[in-house]
Amino acid sequence: MSLLLNILWFVLGGFVSGAAWALAGVILAITVVGLPWTPAAFRIAGFTCWPFGRVVVDRDPGAGSLVLNILWFVLAGWWLALQHIVLAAALAVTIIGIPFAWQHVKLAVLSLSPVGKAVVPA
């Protein structure tokens, strides 16, 4: 069932969201200052493309993660969260899109603080 949901997800917005996260990761990797956020951006990009059957858990709740998440929010997090909210609103219009809209809302929350998170199988 998760394979079917992941295929539908990828077609109905997962590709766009994953591409946005990958673009953020590439832009961060180009700059030396953005290197601390690059692994988190690519980790969440993979999760954004195929989210069903996996969950995000806290990995490192240290002070370093807090500082990086605050800077992430200011630099890129709110843009990605806004993109997820717009896609969620578009998908929530249809009944079949409601589960996908809910996943976009969860990804919008994750977009605000991705550092210190790990993606694990459900």
Side-chain angles (χ1 to χ4, degrees), residues 9-121:
W9 168 264
F10 190 77
V11 172
L12 296 174
F15 174 74
V16 173
S17 297
W21 275 95
L23 178 64
V26 167
I27 291 171
L28 290 169
I30 290 172
T31 66
V32 176
V33 177
L35 282 176
W37 294 284
T38 303
F42 286 130
R43 186 178 321 111
I44 304 302
F47 176 70
T48 301
C49 286
W50 300 97
F52 295 100
R54 302 188 295 170
V55 294
V56 176
V57 296
D58 288 332
R59 182 183 57 164
D60 181 22
S65 293
L66 177 66
V67 171
L68 288 175
N69 277 328
I70 290 170
L71 291 171
W72 169 266
F73 175 79
V74 172
L75 298 174
W78 69 277
W79 286 101
L80 289 167
L82 181 65
Q83 177 254 342
H84 283 295
I85 294 297
V86 168
L87 285 172
L91 286 168
V93 173
T94 65
I95 291 175
I96 196 166
I98 291 173
F100 302 116
W102 181 245
Q103 188 66 30
H104 272 296
V105 170
K106 291 191 287 186
L107 284 167
V109 173
L110 178 62
S111 297
L112 300 176
S113 62
V115 179
K117 308 284 193 221
V119 178
V120 297

